[in-house]
């Protein structure tokens, strides 16, 4: 039993630290996922949406700290009880999302690793079994440091987590796993490679021949002979690959200007998914940056999901000499974890990306 407990201890502790750290690297991204869970379409508790960021930070810090506690053997009873409560909640959440097909990705490992709802559920089931083993055999969880060493290590882990969470919120995630990271070309990420897996779909044809109703299932050709096609249903057999970027666009009121802007040599994009919620200090800083960029031959534009009236108001308020174009809010939240933030492109390739707090680090 002791050996089994130690194996589960190392695996569970390591996985909680890794999973928690990945989400702590991008707490805003995890808060967006919590907002999705809290929405009307999933758990229907929209009253929690305003608290999503605070809850996200608490959950990921607690997840990492519990993993550290388990590995060093700090307060075994508290640690195991907390782990059990957390995994029971997560198992319910992933089962609910998978069974009712509410959420496509649980967000367990942020943007680093995408798991389907059922993969997430079975991952949590395995963890639940291991944590039950730890719960039963918690007396075998021995500390690896002295009492003073345990206290110092536990406290340091908590402080480091809080500092790191604060740092990535005030600037940008230390590690970027999204399709808009520095070095990525957006045109390439909007296309599928030649060897991409295509989706497989069954077609169920209902038809009449010689007065008799029949059905046939194929991949789209239909019956060779028939008097009348009554109907056809489709059933997805195997999902195909999709481009890394599916819904990025830069649109005016009249046309789609995406390719036109992505072909420019020097483009600065100011990203503000919501001009209603944008940081005033950030917009003030962008005035001087935009003027300097334009003097150096850059095209400067803004992208937002806000309406025309708000765009005009922001331009007048901050005396901005560039236009705002329309883009989907979810896409803008994915591009840069700031409201506002800046992305610099050269022929569609991301060369720089900064939070508004880091505007002085932008090299034009």
């Amino acid at each position: 039993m002791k050996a089994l407990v130690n194996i589960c201890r190392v695996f569970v502790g390591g996985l909680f630290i890794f999973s928690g750290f990945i989400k702590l690297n991008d707490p805003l991204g995890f808060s967006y996922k919590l907002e999705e869970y809290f929405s009307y379409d999933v758990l229907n508790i929209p009253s929690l949406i305003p608290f999503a960021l605070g809850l996200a930070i608490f959950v990921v810090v607690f997840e990492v700290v519990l993993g550290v506690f388990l590995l060093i053997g700090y307060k075994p009873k508290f640690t195991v009880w907390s782990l059990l409560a957390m995994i029971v909640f997560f198992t319910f959440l992933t089962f609910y999302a998978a069974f009712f097909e509410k959420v496509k990705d649980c967000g367990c490992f942020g943007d680093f690793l995408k798991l389907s709802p059922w993969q997430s559920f079975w991952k949590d089931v395995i963890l639940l079994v291991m944590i039950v083993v730890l719960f039963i055999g918690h007396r075998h969880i021995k500390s690896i440091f002295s009492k003073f060493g345990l206290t110092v290590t536990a406290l340091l882990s908590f402080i480091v987590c809080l500092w790191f969470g604060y740092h990535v919120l005030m600037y940008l995630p230390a590690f970027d796993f999204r399709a808009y990271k520095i070095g990525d070309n957006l045109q390439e990420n909007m296309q599928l490679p030649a060897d991409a897996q295509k989706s497989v779909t069954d077609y169920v044809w209902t038809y009449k021949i010689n007065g008799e109703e029949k059905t046939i299932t194929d991949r789209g050709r239909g019956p060779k002979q028939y008097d009348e096609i009554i109907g056809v249903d489709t059933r997805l057999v195997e999902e195909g690959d999709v481009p890394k970027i599916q819904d990025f666009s830069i649109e005016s009121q009249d046309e789609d200007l995406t390719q036109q802007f992505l072909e420019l040599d020097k483009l600065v994009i100011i990203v503000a998914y919501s001009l209603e919620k944008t940081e005033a200090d950030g917009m003030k800083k962008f005035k001087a940056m935009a003027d300097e960029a334009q003097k150096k031959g850059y095209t400067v534009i803004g992208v937002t999901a806000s309406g025309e009236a708000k765009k005009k108001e922001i331009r007048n308020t901050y005396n901005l000499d560039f236009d705002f174009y329309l883009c989907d809010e979810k896409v803008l939240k994915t591009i840069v974890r700031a409201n506002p933030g800046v992305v610099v492109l050269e022929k569609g390739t991301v060369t720089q990306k900064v939070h508004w707090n880091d505007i002085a680090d932008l090299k034009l």
Side-chain angles (χ1 to χ4, degrees):
M1 184 65 179
K2 182 179 180 181
L4 181 60
V5 167
N6 285 329
I7 291 172
C8 293
R9 173 184 179 179
V10 172
F11 184 86
V12 172
L15 191 61
F16 264 67
I17 292 173
F18 177 73
S19 173
F21 176 77
I22 288 295
K23 294 193 287 288
L24 185 60
N25 172 67
D26 184 12
L28 267 179
F30 186 52
S31 73
Y32 297 152
K33 180 58 63 176
L34 289 184
E35 288 177 6
E36 186 178 352
Y37 276 111
F38 296 152
S39 67
Y40 290 101
D41 295 333
V42 186
L43 296 177
N44 193 22
I45 43 178
S47 58
L48 291 181
I49 290 178
F51 308 103
L53 180 57
L55 288 171
I57 295 171
F58 171 79
V59 169
V60 295
V61 168
F62 196 46
E63 189 174 353
V64 174
V65 167
L66 282 179
V68 173
F69 283 6
L70 183 62
L71 289 181
I72 66 176
Y74 182 73
K75 296 188 178 295
K77 278 190 176 181
F78 167 79
T79 300
V80 172
W81 271 104
S82 299
L83 288 170
L84 185 62
M86 183 173 279
I87 198 59
V88 166
F89 173 73
F90 282 148
T91 304
F92 159 75
L93 206 59
T94 52
F95 173 78
Y96 182 88
F99 186 80
F100 293 102
E101 299 181 346
K102 297 289 188 178
V103 179
K104 292 183 179 179
D105 169 42
C106 71
C108 304
F109 297 101
D111 292 297
F112 174 77
L113 177 64
K114 300 290 186 179
L115 297 179
S116 71
W118 283 114
Q119 287 173 332
S120 301
F121 169 70
W122 288 115
K123 179 264 297 178
D124 286 344
V125 168
I126 293 171
L127 280 174
L128 177 60
V129 171
M130 289 187 167
I131 292 173
V132 167
V133 171
L134 293 172
F135 183 81
I136 295 171
H138 70 273
R139 66 183 183 277
H140 296 297
I141 301 176
K142 305 298 182 183
S143 61
I144 62 174
F145 300 128
S146 65
K147 188 174 181 179
F148 177 76
L150 286 174
T151 302
V152 170
T153 304
L155 184 60
L156 277 177
S157 67
F158 179 69
I159 293 173
V160 168
C161 284
L162 287 181
W163 170 83
F164 185 67
Y166 175 80
H167 177 78
V168 295
L169 275 176
M170 292 296 101
Y171 301 97
L172 287 179
F175 306 97
D176 192 350
F177 305 108
R178 286 157 285 148
Y180 301 90
K181 63 181 177 291
I182 294 175
D184 273 22
N185 183 275
L186 303 194
Q187 293 103 315
E188 291 178 2
N189 287 346
M190 292 166 72
Q191 300 173 358
L192 278 174
D195 59 348
Q197 174 68 43
K198 296 183 178 179
S199 62
V200 179
T201 303
D202 276 346
Y203 291 75
V204 182
W205 302 83
T206 304
Y207 64 101
K208 277 187 178 181
I209 185 168
N210 299 326
E212 185 179 353
E213 185 175 308
K214 294 186 176 183
T215 62
I216 184 176
T217 301
D218 64 13
R219 293 292 159 82
R221 299 184 64 180
K224 293 181 179 179
Q225 295 180 335
Y226 59 88
D227 298 327
E228 177 189 356
I229 297 292
I230 298 173
V232 58
D233 294 323
T234 58
R235 181 173 62 245
L236 184 64
V237 178
E238 184 178 348
E239 291 188 356
D241 295 334
V242 296
K244 293 179 180 179
I245 297 176
Q246 301 178 59
D247 41 15
F248 172 75
S249 63
I250 303 172
E251 300 177 11
S252 67
Q253 286 184 296
D254 305 314
E255 58 183 326
D256 188 330
L257 302 170
T258 309
Q259 289 305 318
Q260 176 181 322
F261 282 121
L262 292 185
E263 290 170 1
L264 295 177
D265 290 326
K266 302 168 77 174
L267 177 66
V268 171
I269 302 179
I270 294 172
V271 179
Y273 72 84
S274 171
L275 293 175
E276 290 80 4
K277 300 177 182 178
T278 192
E279 297 285 349
D281 290 342
M283 297 308 297
K284 291 175 183 176
K285 290 183 177 182
F286 285 149
K287 167 61 178 171
M289 182 278 296
D291 290 345
E292 179 190 355
Q294 288 170 335
K295 288 178 182 177
K296 293 185 176 181
Y298 284 84
T299 298
V300 179
I301 63 172
V303 287
T304 182
S306 297
E308 292 301 318
K310 194 63 182 179
K311 293 176 188 176
K312 184 176 181 180
E313 177 189 331
I314 289 293
R315 285 193 64 194
N316 292 335
T317 300
Y318 299 102
N319 193 27
L320 301 176
D321 190 25
F322 58 85
D323 292 322
F324 279 93
Y325 296 90
L326 181 65
C327 186
D328 179 73
E329 179 176 324
K330 187 174 181 179
V331 174
L332 297 177
K333 287 180 175 179
T334 304
I335 293 173
V336 60
R337 302 300 200 203
N339 187 38
V342 181
V343 179
V344 181
L345 300 178
E346 291 182 9
K347 288 190 176 296
T349 298
V350 180
T351 58
Q352 296 182 76
K353 184 192 293 189
V354 297
H355 190 284
W356 66 266
N357 279 325
D358 272 339
I359 197 73
D361 295 337
L362 199 65
K363 296 178 178 63
L364 299 172

